Amino acid sequence: ASLVILILILTVQYVLRAPVPLSFLATLYLYIILIVIVMAGFLFLLRSHLSRYSQRETESQRASATDVLDEGLAAFRGRLPRRFQSAEILAVSSDDHYVKVQTDRGDAIIRMRLADAIAHLASLDGQQVHRSWWVARSAVDHVTRDSSGLSLHLAQGQTVPVSRSRRAEVDAWLENRSSAV
C-alpha cells in the first residue's frame, strides 16, 4: 500500500510540477504503516473468529447428525412394548408386514417394514445379513461356513442365514468384530 501511495504522490508532484516536502512524505509513510498494521490486526482477529465459528458449526452439524440417529432409535424403541423399550436389541426379522424384535428381555412383534426398522437402528452396531434379517454384533455367538454358505448363530439359539449378495459385506463386518474383541 505504501508503494502505491508513493507512486501516486510522485505522479501528482510531476503533474503539478511542485515538489513535495520530504517531511510530508515521511509523515504520510508513517500513517500508512500504522493503518496497514491496524487493518492486518483486524483481519487476523476476524479470521480467527470465523474459524472458531466454522469449527462450532461443524461440531453442531455432527451433533445434529448423531441426534437424528438417536431420534430414529428412540422412535423405534417407542413402538416396542414398555418392558422392551430399554432392552438391548439383538436381532430383527421380517414377517409379512411385521417385524419380530429380539431383545435380551424377550421378543416383541410390531407393525413395521424391515427397511424402516433398519433405518431406525442405524446408530446401533448391527448389520443386515439377509433380506429378512438384521443382527446386532453383540448377538452373534459364532459363525459357520459350509457348502450352503455362511450362517450366524445367535446367543439365543437361532441360526440366521447370510445371503450370497451380502456375504462379502458380512465377512468384513465379522472381521471388524474379531479385531475389536
Side-chain angles (χ1 to χ4, degrees), residues 124-143:
L124 296 181
D125 186 13
Q127 182 78 30
Q128 183 175 5
V129 297
H130 189 273
R131 70 178 179 190
S132 60
W133 280 92
W134 176 92
V135 177
R137 184 183 304 271
S138 61
V140 179
D141 186 43
H142 65 279
V143 180

Side-chain angles (χ1 to χ4, degrees), residues 73-140:
L73 181 59
F76 182 80
R77 287 184 182 281
R79 296 181 75 161
L80 292 171
R82 189 177 280 321
R83 69 177 185 268
F84 299 119
Q85 289 181 354
S86 61
E88 180 184 4
I89 298 171
L90 302 173
V92 178
S93 59
S94 68
D95 184 18
D96 207 14
H97 295 291
Y98 295 88
V99 291
K100 179 179 180 182
V101 182
Q102 299 174 23
T103 71
D104 59 346
R105 295 184 188 158
D107 299 346
I109 295 178
I110 56 176
R111 185 172 171 84
M112 177 182 251
R113 293 181 325 146
L114 182 64
D116 295 335
I118 290 171
H120 286 301
L121 299 173
S123 64
L124 296 181
D125 186 13
Q127 182 78 30
Q128 183 175 5
V129 297
H130 189 273
R131 70 178 179 190
S132 60
W133 280 92
W134 176 92
V135 177
R137 184 183 304 271
S138 61
V140 179

